[in-house]
Amino acid sequence: MTAAGSLTAQLSASRVTGRWRLYVVLLGAPVWPTYDFDGPTVPTVQERSRALTALGYVFTDGPDWEWTEDVTPDDDPAAPVVLIAATSVREGSP
């Protein structure tokens, strides 16, 4: 659960390219702020923090990320899981 006035930032890897993308969820907005990382390696906490700063956001409760698994489109138990990380952010500077 996010604090009042905070937003959710999420991190996931593309099923197509394998590259990681960080985005800030803005309900009702036609486009969300996004940051694409190079390569398939999971970005470090510092890299994620720099990406959020580049998008104009900062952590609200520290750089803690909660990881969850998402199911594949076909619910195939043999397919690789999709990992999604989430954290609370707000607009502004630290």
Side-chain angles (χ1 to χ4, degrees):
M1 177 164 228
T2 59
S6 68
L7 302 164
T8 299
Q10 294 183 328
L11 176 74
S12 64
S14 167
R15 295 175 198 245
V16 177
T17 66
R19 290 185 176 187
W20 289 88
R21 170 175 281 183
L22 185 146
Y23 49 94
V24 178
V25 178
L26 300 175
L27 298 178
V31 178
W32 294 349
T34 62
Y35 185 95
D36 292 316
F37 294 92
D38 292 329
T41 304
V42 179
T44 66
V45 173
Q46 293 84 6
E47 290 169 328
R48 291 179 241 160
S49 178
R50 286 191 294 269
L52 283 170
T53 299
L55 294 174
Y57 295 87
V58 295
F59 295 108
T60 58
D61 298 322
D64 295 329
W65 293 78
E66 291 186 29
W67 289 86
T68 58
E69 290 183 7
D70 192 14
V71 294
T72 62
D74 304 331
D75 289 331
D76 178 2
V81 298
V82 176
L83 294 175
I84 300 172
T87 191
S88 294
V89 297
R90 65 172 172 78
E91 288 187 68
S93 57

